[in-house]
Amino acid sequence: MSRLARSLVRHIDPAVAIAFGCIAALLFLGSLYSTSFVSPAFLLQQLKVASFLGVIATGAMIVILLGQIDLSVPWVVAVGGMMSTAVASWWGPVGGIIAIPFGILCGVALGLVSGFGVAYLRIPSMIVTLAVNAVAQGLMVVHTGGFSPQDASSQAMRFLATGNSLLGIPNALLVWGVVGAAATFLLSRTTFGRAVYGIGNSERAVYLSGVKLQRVVLLAFALSGGLSAFGGVLLAGYASKAAQGMGDAYLLPSIAAVVLGGTSILGGRGNYLGTVAGVILITLLQSILSVMQIEESGRQIIYGVVIILMLLLYGREGLVH
Amino acid sequence: AAGPKIVAGPNSDPKCFAPWTDSVKLFQFTQKKGPYRIALANGFIANTWRIQMIKTAKAYASQPDVATKLKEFKVVSTGEDVAAQIAAVNNFIDSGYDAIVVNAQNPTAFKPVIKRANDAGVVLVAFDNTLDTEDAINVNVDQKGLGEYWADWLVKNIPNGGKILEVRGVSGTSVDRDRHDGIQGVLKASGKKWDTVEVIGKWDDPTAQKVTADAIAVHKHFDGVTAQGGDTGVVQAIIDAKHPFVPFGGETENGFRKFCAKYSADGLKCASGGTGPAQVAVAIKTAIAALEGNVVPQSIKLPLARVEDPNFKDGQDFYSEQSDNFFVGNAFPTCGINFTAQEIMGQSEANQ
Amino acid sequence: MAFFEMKGVFKHFGGVSALQNASLNVEAGRVHAILGENGAGKSTLIKIMAGVVMPDEGRMIMEGREVQFASPASANQAGIACIFQELSLLPDLSVADNIAISNPPKRFGLIDRRAQRRIAEEALARAGGQDIHPLTPVKDLPLSRRQIVEIAKALARSPRILILDEATSALAAADVDKIYTVLKRLRSEGLALLYISHRMQEIAELADECTVFRNGRNVATYKAGTKSDNEVVELMIGREYSHVFPPKPSVVPSERTPVLEARELSWTNRLKNISLKVNAGEVVGLGGLDGQGQRELLLALFGVLRGVSGEISIDGKHESVTSPHLAKSPGIGMALIPEDRKTEGLMLPMSVRHNLSFAALGRLSRLGVIDRASEDAAVDDVIHLLSIRTDGTNNPVGALSGGNQQKVLIAKWLMVTPRIILLNDPTRGIDVGTKQELYQLLRKLADSGAAILFYSTDYAELIGCCDRVLVLYDGAVKQELIGPDITEHALVSSALNITSKTEEAGAKLAIGA
Amino acid sequence: MNEWRYRIGEHRQTLLAFIVFLLMFVIYVSNHPAGFNANVVTTAANKGVLLALVAMAQTIVVLTAGIDLSVGMVFILTNCLASWIVVGSLGMTALGVIGVLLTGSLCGALNGLIVIYGRLQPIVTTIATGAIYFGLALALRPVPGGDVNSTLADSLTGQLPGGIPASLVALFIVVLVIWVPFRRSEIGRAVYAAGSSEIAAYMSGVPIRRAKLVAYSLSGLLASMGGLFLTFITYSGEASAANGGTYTLYSIAAVVLGGVSLFGGAGSAIGAIFGALMFRTIGDLLFVFDLEPLWQPLFQGIVLLVAVSLGSVRLFRIRNRLDLFG
Ligand SMILES: Nc1ncnc2c1ncn2[C@@H]1O[C@H](COP(=O)(O)OP(=O)(O)OP(=O)(O)O)[C@@H](O)[C@H]1O
Ligand SMILES: Nc1ncnc2c1ncn2[C@@H]1O[C@H](COP(=O)(O)OP(=O)(O)OP(=O)(O)O)[C@@H](O)[C@H]1O
Ligand SMILES: [Mg+2]
Ligand SMILES: [Mg+2]
């Protein structure tokens, strides 16, 4: 217990602390506009919605730690949602149950394609994932047009995404909690995690250390794909249906969240707690803006300015010398 | 100059090709001998509406009486990028197609293309996202009128005004703006006291659902809701927030109408209006008519497919076994176009 | 009055104090050598001179005028050119671009590539790099060639003070000789030269004055040649200094089946039918001029190279080693200490602990889950074994001084308890004290049954450490020197591939070329 | 002769991009119903040049080892602005054009200033500024519309005597007036240096900050040229977030297909231009091959995937596995 507490203290770096500070500040400003921004109902609602971004950002973070990036998020999310709902309808009750793992597996499959391209073909991730995103879109268009699939989500998905469990905590939040805990463990306590950080710092050194570097990269992208798809499954559960465009709103926010959380886009540095903070920050900011009655143009500008300001607070890199 | 002759009339098929206003010009293109080569220059493709639209177009083109008139029916989708769509239209013109049907990414972007088409004697018909022009045929949905229709419903069903949630579409588009103007216009004119809260739903269910949930969490209560897309998500948010059902003016998604039918008794009093993707068929029909030298109005008004509570009928106004994303309102009886869900989505495994 | 003077310089990096009240006098037309252990503060001092690091305190006086350099650029203006230890070359740019980077020749406001190329060719010629094509991207050059380019780059600036920080650490004797002649000429042209090196014989050859640094202080300044090597070393490390090399076992291990045997190894045109045996308990050296295929040979054995023909057998059993992963597997138990610790050896921003355990994680984990306790234990062991100087194993390894970084790199591989150890120039940029510890360590490992293959650019250590030396020339083994036959003379002549008749000449050529 | 090895080696990537593009384009025109004629080429050129300009903008930032995710939004913003001010008399129009280009450069410079003096990571900086620029675009054009000096527009999107696409000539001039001098200038090389190794560049006394600021500003300038050209093609302005995002991603694809290293320091805007043309041709293949409409996106995706995988053939030539890893 105390060991855990100590390690926690050791892991909290200033960036993360400030990030959580920003969250408080944001809520305070919000409360000036409307006190309901600090009402438990609203906060839980926010955490619930944040969970979807949280799950997706987890995958994004693992890839970013490698020094890579995953631009296939939008359509992998959609694949997760659409395939799971489709399966849910195909084999009746059986489908309802295997729907979730199936959706995730589809994401893993796409992740493996990206991973293969990056790890074995050595194509820059930015472009492979872009291409995989296009392929995923193509697949979903054919899927929709060809099979007019059902898109109503199964009970299980509804339950995960919108249900509440003990003490009225949203299940989605619990799901994120589990995913987060797993990710933290994976990154800090396993050889895989070490390898990920290592690769982010120096691929050559990792390779010469006799680590199966390419397999680690492949795995990382598979994870990212699976988590994006899982995000899609949850979103489908939340919306009670899947739709092609459901992932569009998650690419840039997931990257922004990870970086706002103090993870270096160059790889090798960052911890999960930061990503948690980043995710909550982005979600809150979006929600607060969305209900403020100002022109959309104004919202966009404020959104950008606020992110810059927060980064200036703590996201700065050291000088080269 | 080149292009269609402006004629006094008579309109070759006033019932189907209903002119937008009495003042609309009537076009007559020089008659061409069939069968014709017709192209559909679509932009964005990756949502159910567009996919359904394309399948309808193929289905319509392969209907026996239509098929005989067509030598070739080609479809190209160019994505969000308007420049690519313009290039596609240009390519169709250069490749000597007789008519081009287009769902424009940007209504104002086609001025030069329209000119080229007219110079080349190619019939250009726009639908859904139509063109701001008097030199090409527009098959219009009355977007402003749609907004007015929704607002009327709210005015009718909310006796003494109140707080309205308006879920808007994609910012920067004219469709969003027109529908918004329609809504606000009617509300103002109604003389009742209205207070509208606007959120951006982007015509997308998850987005609409999230912003609706936020709005409810902050504003606690609304007396009425109107949404121009992503309506299924909006209703879902209302249910999840345990917000009492209130009058709702919305689009024509199958999922939305399912909800309306299901919760009518609980107070979800809906007006569902719009035009399904089948309008592409009307556009093709118009193009063929024009090629045959028949007189058609420059601006055609599509009838809205509308249903109000309490008469949502399964299998006619919505399809409980079809997907939520499916768009109903595909019947244009005045044009002899009447697609059922099955014809469009249903038996399509066959033709893949 | 000194040409350039530093007075009372202090510099702290976080907790570490790199310099404490250091001072230095540099005269024009002289070569001033700076000696000191790793982490003594040498590089920091000259980084301050070169405007890379800002001192906390202290004054710099150039020709009687107080000066301050806010950036390397401004130091350049003042005529100070520095050859940094972490090479300051731009990998993607061509050699010519690099040489002319700071003030390229221009025509109509644009860079005049022809003129630039002329400048580059001249500079390369002066630095003894005629063989380097000015259009080669720097990233395609081996480290030793890069150091030549680095020197050429400094010369092209026609500086008044030239600083070399371990600038020859990767050069083989012949190259170094060329540099000597250049430096001597520059001295006669009246430049002030600052020369940092861990190689005593270089200092002896070049220096006029020497200043010894210890723990950030200048502890002694003396005329070159007025102190014996041992005295100097004791000044540096501040303790008694026994002789450098551990005694070799009198009897060369008997002909058991060699732990490592290679037959007819060939690879592209860089390795030609190389056969070698390394027995348990043996330290076998690889000699020869730099870039004769020694590095490639080590990489080939370690499974890094593709399309290697020939056979490798371990304990007499034929094995195909196709990846470092296989190479380090218990069945083979091979370790490679790579050439460039900063990019191939260590992950500088990561903690000392994680760097140390990185290669050994396999055995420190169960089902991929790291056993923290045994990791800590193992890490602490090696830190003791090699007496690595670090304040806290959670600090980034990049903040250690080079010598200690090198130790970490070696320790990292000792953690996998290898039976075959391949070392690629492991003492580059390491001070005598540390070197000595390293030699002892190698011998200890050998005695405990390891087979060691050891490439070095420093003849002295080949002579001192190795039971046998294979001299490579143009990718093939030209000669095998055993025991007493391993002499500087033999090494040089065989390195230049000179038949016994012309040996004398060859040796001269090697010294005075 | 090995002289040539180096000279070619310097431009290998660009040549490769050019060759692949040429092959694709030949396949395209030879299957085009209208065949190889001025109109077809002009049509292809116009939309190709549009992306090429944005890709050039992306390239210059990528050379500094950065990335600009706001490039598409600057493109959109300047398009909306142009649809207001590039109208009327010759003088007015000229002023308008200057205004548009100035605005673009300012947007770029702002990115640069934040990245340099704020010491923020480019990718997230530009995500944020992208939102800002789109907000401004939206304020300028709540709905699509506006106009542009049509004589200017027609002359730039039309054909010169001999059927040569004016847009290609314009692009050529841009390359000649902006890229070539930049590439050959000291500041240009400083940009490459900074991208190749920032620390080494600093130690060599290269003016890193000035270099980066110039790079970002130039990038903004080129993006605004793209925006301007979009206005000439569409005769209007539209604040479309989707379109902005599309062009940002396309520009990255074009840059990579053009052989520019995303790690900075290596590559050429000329390569990126061919990358852009290549990418456009992939889209055009849809037109000449008669595909099931619903299979077109998948086809496009797969072709892109294959195209970017082509680069990996070099892996077979690699004999030292270390070269596989950065
Ligand atoms: N930038 C830095 N950050 C942290 N510590 C540093 C930094 N630069 C130097 N040090 C520390 O200051 C001390 C002096 O380092 P310095 O490099 O000057 O020693 P050195 O004499 O050059 O060693 P070597 O012989 O290995 O080159 C070392 O302990 C080193 O770890
Ligand atoms: N900005 C920095 N932050 C942290 N550590 C640094 C920094 N700059 C240098 N160091 C490290 O401090 C150590 C001493 O600094 P210096 O640059 O003199 O290297 P060094 O001690 O001479 O090591 P080496 O002997 O490479 O060959 C180096 O190992 C270097 O990696
Ligand atoms: Mg040093
Ligand atoms: Mg050193």
Side-chain angles (χ1 to χ4, degrees):
Chain A
M1 177 55 234
S2 70
R3 184 201 174 91
L4 187 139
R6 242 185 294 110
S7 68
L8 241 166
V9 175
R10 185 149 40 76
H11 282 295
I12 290 185
D13 65 85
V16 178
I18 305 177
F20 280 104
C22 289
I23 295 177
L26 214 52
L27 283 174
F28 172 72
L29 292 179
S31 65
L32 298 184
Y33 175 82
S34 152
T35 53
S36 23
F37 280 125
V38 284
S39 69
F42 180 80
L43 293 180
L44 277 183
Q45 144 82 9
Q46 291 312 307
L47 287 175
K48 177 160 91 183
V49 179
S51 310
F52 310 138
L53 180 58
V55 170
I56 295 168
T58 307
M61 178 186 181
I62 295 177
V63 168
I64 288 177
L65 280 176
L66 283 176
Q68 307 286 2
I69 197 153
D70 186 350
L71 297 182
S72 68
V73 164
W75 280 96
V76 175
V77 168
V79 166
M82 295 179 67
M83 292 319 287
S84 53
T85 52
V87 168
S89 70
W90 281 346
W91 304 299
V94 193
I97 299 164
I98 64 164
I100 296 175
F102 182 80
I104 295 175
L105 281 181
C106 294
V108 172
L110 289 167
L112 284 171
V113 177
S114 307
F116 181 81
V118 176
Y120 294 93
L121 302 183
R122 305 303 299 169
I123 314 167
S125 53
M126 209 174 246
I127 185 73
V128 192
T129 53
L130 208 58
V132 167
N133 189 54
V135 170
Q137 167 176 4
L139 288 171
M140 286 306 97
V141 170
V142 172
H143 172 71
T144 315
F147 309 94
S148 58
Q150 276 299 344
D151 47 29
S153 47
S154 70
Q155 274 317 311
M157 294 157 72
R158 295 280 303 144
F159 173 77
L160 274 189
T162 59
N164 293 336
S165 296
L166 44 131
L167 328 163
I169 299 172
N171 293 347
L173 188 54
L174 297 176
V175 171
W176 184 22
V178 173
V179 170
T184 313
F185 180 83
L186 195 67
L187 288 174
S188 59
R189 298 294 298 278
T190 67
T191 53
F192 173 81
R194 284 286 173 84
V196 167
Y197 280 96
I199 293 171
N201 282 308
S202 165
E203 287 196 322
R204 280 166 165 251
V206 171
Y207 173 71
L208 284 176
S209 305
V211 172
K212 290 212 178 124
L213 178 148
Q214 289 167 307
R215 210 184 50 189
V216 173
V217 174
L218 184 71
L219 223 60
F221 274 90
L223 268 176
S224 169
L227 285 166
S228 295
F230 189 31
V233 173
L234 292 173
L235 268 174
Y238 173 65
S240 78
K241 65 196 272 293
Q244 294 87 349
M246 62 197 291
D248 296 355
Y250 286 86
L251 175 58
L252 297 188
S254 64
I255 298 174
V258 172
V259 177
L260 273 174
T263 299
S264 161
I265 203 78
L266 308 172
R269 284 191 290 109
N271 69 48
Y272 193 79
L273 214 53
T275 302
V276 174
V279 166
I280 298 176
L281 263 179
I282 293 283
T283 313
L284 268 182
L285 184 55
Q286 286 177 337
S287 305
I288 293 179
L289 285 175
S290 73
V291 286
M292 291 197 165
Q293 290 306 296
I294 46 178
E295 279 297 315
E296 175 66 2
S297 54
R299 293 201 186 103
Q300 292 286 343
I301 294 173
I302 297 175
Y303 178 72
V305 171
V306 171
I307 290 186
I308 297 270
L309 290 181
M310 287 192 298
L311 284 168
L312 284 177
L313 264 182
Y314 65 83
R316 315 180 66 175
E317 302 158 14
L319 289 160
V320 290
H321 48 290
Chain B
K5 283 203 304 293
I6 316 277
V7 296
N11 184 337
S12 59
D13 181 353
K15 286 206 309 308
C16 179
F17 307 141
W20 185 255
T21 63
D22 315 340
S23 57
V24 163
K25 292 182 288 184
L26 290 172
F27 279 175
Q28 179 164 38
F29 287 80
T30 44
Q31 176 171 15
K32 283 191 184 177
K33 285 218 323 332
Y36 305 112
R37 296 173 64 210
I38 295 187
L40 166 56
N42 178 43
F44 185 61
I45 185 175
N47 66 33
T48 303
W49 198 100
R50 294 294 178 112
I51 293 168
Q52 201 179 325
M53 182 270 287
I54 285 175
K55 293 174 70 69
T56 314
K58 299 283 280 187
Y60 180 74
S62 55
Q63 282 181 355
D65 53 329
V66 182
T68 51
K69 296 179 179 173
L70 296 183
K71 172 131 67 35
E72 178 190 357
F73 179 66
K74 186 178 180 80
V75 183
V76 167
S77 301
T78 47
E80 314 268 15
D81 177 6
V82 63
Q85 190 178 26
I86 291 172
V89 176
N90 279 323
N91 271 320
F92 283 127
I93 295 172
D94 293 327
S95 312
Y97 282 79
D98 302 305
I100 302 167
V101 180
V102 46
N103 184 343
Q105 279 305 117
N106 164 353
T108 59
F110 284 69
K111 291 173 198 138
V113 184
I114 295 166
K115 193 170 167 309
R116 284 197 76 213
N118 285 335
D119 294 347
V122 176
V123 175
L124 192 63
V125 181
F127 69 102
D128 186 26
N129 294 302
T130 50
L131 302 171
D132 299 352
T133 179
E134 301 227 320
D135 307 327
I137 302 174
N138 277 325
V139 177
N140 284 304
V141 179
D142 183 358
Q143 305 293 4
K144 192 156 183 291
L146 194 52
E148 289 162 349
Y149 164 65
W150 293 330
D152 279 330
W153 174 257
L154 294 180
V155 172
K156 240 197 273 109
N157 287 272
I158 306 171
N160 32 30
K163 203 175 205 178
I164 301 291
L165 174 65
E166 182 190 357
V167 182
R168 296 189 56 170
V170 172
S171 317
T173 62
S174 44
V175 173
D176 170 62
R177 172 54 60 97
D178 294 346
R179 294 181 173 184
H180 173 72
D181 292 345
I183 294 169
Q184 292 305 327
V186 169
L187 290 184
K188 279 193 187 50
S190 71
K192 297 184 188 173
K193 222 188 136 313
W194 301 105
D195 165 17
T196 40
V197 174
E198 291 177 33
V199 290
I200 308 290
K202 299 187 178 172
W203 299 328
D204 165 56
D205 287 286
T207 314
Q209 180 177 359
K210 182 181 177 306
V211 290
T212 305
D214 290 339
I216 294 176
V218 171
H219 293 271
K220 303 288 181 292
H221 181 81
F222 294 101
D223 304 293
V225 180
T226 173
Q228 41 170 291
D231 309 31
T232 321
V234 174
V235 178
Q236 190 61 55
I238 293 175
I239 296 171
D240 293 345
K242 310 207 169 42
H243 185 286
F245 286 115
V246 293
F248 194 129
E251 250 283 354
T252 53
E253 301 102 328
N254 195 35
F256 172 58
R257 287 189 171 182
K258 282 186 198 169
F259 275 133
C260 292
K262 185 163 165 209
Y263 296 112
S264 165
D266 312 330
L268 183 61
K269 303 257 167 282
C270 305
S272 162
T275 47
Q279 58 179 281
V280 68
V282 179
I284 299 172
K285 185 184 172 80
T286 315
I288 295 174
L291 285 170
E292 288 169 332
N294 300 326
V295 175
V296 295
Q298 177 268 326
S299 179
I300 296 171
K301 184 174 199 162
L302 277 178
L304 287 178
R306 18 168 109 175
V307 192
E308 295 89 10
D309 187 83
N311 31 30
F312 287 96
K313 271 189 233 50
D314 191 355
Q316 172 194 318
D317 307 311
F318 68 98
Y319 304 86
S320 49
E321 81 291 348
Q322 274 293 338
S323 98
D324 284 355
N325 296 333
F326 180 78
F327 281 83
V328 277
N330 295 304
F332 300 97
T334 51
C335 297
I337 293 168
N338 198 344
F339 286 97
T340 69
Q342 286 66 22
E343 276 170 310
I344 300 171
M345 302 303 267
Q347 93 287 71
S348 46
E349 284 84 345
N351 51 23
Q352 291 295 349
Chain C
M1 176 208 66
F3 175 60
F4 186 95
E5 217 175 329
M6 297 179 87
K7 286 204 191 124
V9 179
F10 287 79
K11 179 65 185 176
H12 293 265
F13 293 101
V16 202
S17 102
L19 290 174
Q20 315 178 23
N21 192 16
S23 52
L24 186 72
N25 287 354
V26 186
E27 301 293 345
R30 316 277 284 163
V31 176
H32 194 136
I34 299 181
L35 300 81
E37 281 191 286
N38 293 115
K42 307 181 296 293
S43 301
T44 308
L45 184 79
I46 59 99
K47 279 180 183 171
I48 290 172
M49 278 184 77
V52 175
V53 171
M54 292 296 115
D56 303 341
E57 272 181 58
R59 313 170 47 210
M60 291 191 277
I61 296 136
M62 191 168 182
E63 296 176 310
R65 279 184 297 95
E66 180 106 18
V67 287
Q68 272 170 347
F69 304 133
S71 73
S74 56
N76 267 328
Q77 306 302 324
I80 297 180
C82 185
I83 298 166
F84 293 104
Q85 188 165 17
E86 304 80 15
L87 298 172
S88 63
L89 294 177
L90 301 154
D92 296 291
L93 272 55
S94 74
V95 169
D97 284 338
N98 269 283
I99 289 176
I101 189 78
S102 59
N103 56 341
K106 299 215 205 73
R107 282 174 75 233
F108 320 118
L110 298 185
I111 295 173
D112 177 351
R113 298 183 107 208
R114 245 192 229 82
Q116 165 175 303
R117 176 149 177 198
R118 262 199 314 282
I119 295 173
E121 271 158 354
E122 285 162 17
L124 282 170
R126 287 175 72 191
Q130 300 87 338
D131 56 321
I132 303 170
H133 193 290
L135 293 185
T136 331
V138 163
K139 63 170 181 288
D140 296 350
L141 296 173
L143 192 61
S144 60
R145 300 288 95 185
R146 291 187 199 187
Q147 286 196 332
I148 301 271
V149 175
E150 182 77 49
I151 292 165
K153 174 180 161 190
L155 296 182
R157 294 176 182 173
S158 48
R160 306 171 57 203
I161 302 181
L162 178 60
I163 304 168
L164 299 89
D165 186 358
E166 289 174 49
T168 55
S169 56
L171 297 187
D175 289 323
V176 176
D177 293 331
K178 294 191 193 139
I179 302 302
Y180 288 166
T181 37
V182 179
L183 296 182
K184 285 170 178 163
R185 189 173 66 248
L186 291 175
R187 171 173 58 189
S188 60
E189 291 169 6
L191 263 75
L193 294 120
L194 265 179
Y195 194 84
I196 301 179
S197 171
H198 293 294
R199 291 182 179 172
M200 287 307 207
Q201 71 274 25
E202 292 182 8
I203 308 267
E205 170 86 24
L206 272 180
D208 305 307
E209 277 93 17
C210 306
T211 299
V212 178
F213 271 74
R214 188 166 74 227
N215 303 337
R217 288 194 186 72
N218 49 315
V219 290
T221 302
Y222 58 89
K223 284 240 163 306
T226 57
K227 281 190 180 356
S228 78
D229 280 4
N230 271 6
E231 289 172 299
V232 176
V233 173
E234 277 159 25
L235 277 172
M236 283 169 57
I237 61 183
R239 62 182 144 86
E240 271 299 314
Y241 176 74
S242 57
H243 64 295
V244 191
F245 297 106
K248 302 181 188 179
S250 45
V251 289
V252 181
S254 62
E255 281 304 318
R256 289 173 267 113
T257 49
V259 180
L260 170 64
E261 176 169 15
R263 271 181 242 88
E264 309 269 289
L265 285 193
S266 299
W267 179 72
T268 64
N269 61 351
R270 314 280 285 110
L271 296 179
K272 295 166 185 161
N273 296 324
I274 293 187
S275 300
L276 57 83
K277 289 190 174 72
V278 188
N279 292 311
E282 225 185 352
V283 179
V284 175
L286 291 176
L289 299 177
D290 179 59
Q292 297 304 306
Q294 298 96 335
R295 292 184 174 81
E296 290 76 3
L297 174 57
L298 295 179
L299 291 178
L301 293 170
F302 201 58
V304 174
L305 302 185
R306 271 191 193 148
V308 177
S309 67
E311 278 203 348
I312 298 176
S313 36
I314 311 296
D315 299 325
K317 201 157 101 309
H318 173 267
E319 298 269 4
S320 75
V321 187
T322 56
S323 75
H325 183 75
L326 278 178
K328 87 172 179 185
S329 63
I332 299 176
M334 210 187 281
L336 171 68
I337 315 298
E339 166 185 13
D340 179 353
R341 66 166 172 272
K342 288 198 158 102
T343 68
E344 296 179 347
L346 299 172
M347 291 149 290
L348 290 180
M350 281 172 81
S351 71
V352 173
R353 174 195 311 272
H354 290 183
N355 270 281
L356 282 171
S357 60
F358 200 82
L361 279 181
R363 66 192 54 197
L364 295 174
S365 62
R366 222 171 289 94
L367 304 172
V369 178
I370 297 167
D371 174 350
R372 290 256 195 88
S374 49
E375 181 188 15
D376 296 356
V379 166
D380 296 343
D381 288 351
V382 285
I383 287 188
H384 266 88
L385 180 65
L386 277 74
S387 57
I388 296 170
R389 275 206 273 121
T390 155
D391 46 355
T393 53
N394 288 325
N395 300 0
V397 79
L400 299 183
S401 92
N404 280 301
Q405 288 183 13
Q406 192 68 29
K407 284 187 184 175
V408 171
L409 178 53
I410 294 168
K412 160 184 170 181
W413 277 106
L414 294 190
M415 285 184 71
V416 306
T417 56
R419 302 157 50 234
I420 305 167
I421 305 174
L422 316 175
L423 299 110
N424 188 348
D425 206 1
T427 57
R428 190 163 53 80
I430 289 192
D431 65 60
V432 222
T434 317
K435 273 184 186 161
Q436 188 187 8
E437 295 172 41
L438 235 146
Y439 302 143
Q440 313 277 10
L441 180 69
L442 287 188
R443 185 50 65 183
K444 201 155 83 213
L445 293 166
D447 293 344
S448 62
I452 297 175
L453 190 58
F454 173 26
Y455 170 52
S456 172
T457 45
D458 181 344
Y459 291 152
E461 64 191 27
L462 287 176
I463 299 164
C465 296
C466 301
D467 304 314
R468 285 187 291 135
V469 175
L470 305 173
V471 182
L472 272 64
Y473 183 86
D474 190 21
V477 178
K478 268 289 164 294
Q479 193 167 12
E480 176 170 11
L481 304 168
I482 303 178
D485 306 350
I486 310 174
T487 62
E488 170 123 32
H489 181 273
L491 283 170
V492 171
S493 50
S494 50
L496 297 167
N497 192 30
I498 296 159
T499 54
S500 42
K501 267 188 243 70
T502 55
E503 259 180 25
E504 299 309 320
K508 286 211 181 54
L509 194 151
I511 307 303
Chain D
M1 71 119 248
N2 82 342
E3 187 67 23
W4 276 106
R5 218 182 70 238
Y6 291 109
R7 294 217 175 286
I8 292 175
E10 198 182 338
H11 305 292
R12 186 187 293 108
Q13 296 298 339
T14 305
L15 291 173
L16 205 72
F18 172 69
I19 292 165
V20 177
F21 157 68
L22 211 58
L23 289 177
M24 285 183 153
F25 193 74
V26 168
I27 297 176
Y28 169 61
V29 286
S30 54
N31 288 286
H32 195 293
F36 180 82
N37 74 38
N39 286 347
V40 174
V41 177
T42 309
T43 303
N46 283 349
K47 76 174 176 180
V49 167
L50 194 58
L51 181 55
L53 286 167
V54 183
M56 284 176 81
Q58 186 66 267
T59 305
I60 297 190
V61 171
V62 167
L63 283 176
T64 68
I67 186 92
D68 185 351
L69 295 188
S70 73
V71 73
M73 293 310 181
V74 177
F75 171 74
I76 293 297
L77 169 58
T78 46
N79 163 236
C80 294
L81 181 63
S83 69
W84 281 111
I85 64 176
V86 182
V87 289
S89 71
L90 202 67
M92 294 272 298
T93 308
L95 283 180
V97 170
I98 294 172
V100 169
L101 299 184
L102 216 58
T103 310
S105 316
L106 284 179
C107 293
L110 179 62
N111 287 341
L113 290 173
I114 297 175
V115 168
I116 298 163
Y117 294 97
R119 302 209 304 276
L120 298 187
Q121 292 163 337
I123 192 167
V124 62
T125 304
T126 49
I127 288 177
T129 52
I132 299 177
Y133 302 147
F134 176 66
L136 294 173
L138 209 49
L140 281 171
R141 282 270 166 236
V143 287
D147 202 353
V148 68
N149 181 321
S150 54
T151 36
L152 179 59
D154 294 342
S155 57
L156 276 172
T157 56
Q159 296 167 10
L160 301 176
I164 302 157
S167 53
L168 277 189
V169 178
L171 180 63
F172 186 74
I173 293 173
V174 171
V175 170
L176 227 56
V177 175
I178 295 185
W179 173 251
V180 173
F182 171 77
R183 180 78 180 85
R184 288 267 172 273
S185 70
E186 191 169 2
I187 201 71
R189 196 175 62 189
V191 168
Y192 277 79
S196 183
S197 161
E198 187 152 347
I199 294 175
Y202 173 77
M203 292 216 176
S204 313
V206 173
I208 295 175
R209 295 180 161 189
R210 192 152 27 102
K212 282 190 174 176
L213 188 56
V214 170
Y216 278 91
S217 312
L218 264 185
S219 164
L221 174 67
L222 285 162
S224 65
M225 290 183 172
L228 199 56
F229 197 69
L230 176 63
T231 325
F232 292 153
I233 290 182
T234 62
Y235 279 56
S236 66
E238 181 195 20
S240 156
N243 210 11
T246 307
Y247 270 84
T248 303
L249 296 186
Y250 284 6
S251 71
I252 295 172
V255 161
V256 174
L257 291 174
V260 180
S261 158
L262 289 174
F263 306 109
S268 139
I270 309 207
I273 290 176
F274 291 121
L277 298 179
M278 198 193 304
F279 187 84
R280 285 303 204 187
T281 317
I282 293 177
D284 284 336
L285 292 178
L286 294 181
F287 182 82
V288 295
F289 294 128
D290 211 354
L291 285 155
E292 254 309 306
L294 293 183
W295 288 74
Q296 288 170 0
L298 184 56
F299 171 81
Q300 236 165 332
I302 290 175
V303 174
L304 179 58
L305 197 52
V306 172
V308 297
S309 309
L310 283 181
S312 320
V313 291
R314 74 182 161 84
L315 296 190
F316 296 114
R317 281 191 280 99
I318 285 186
R319 294 262 135 271
N320 179 344
R321 292 198 182 84
L322 272 185
D323 300 345
L324 288 174
F325 308 110

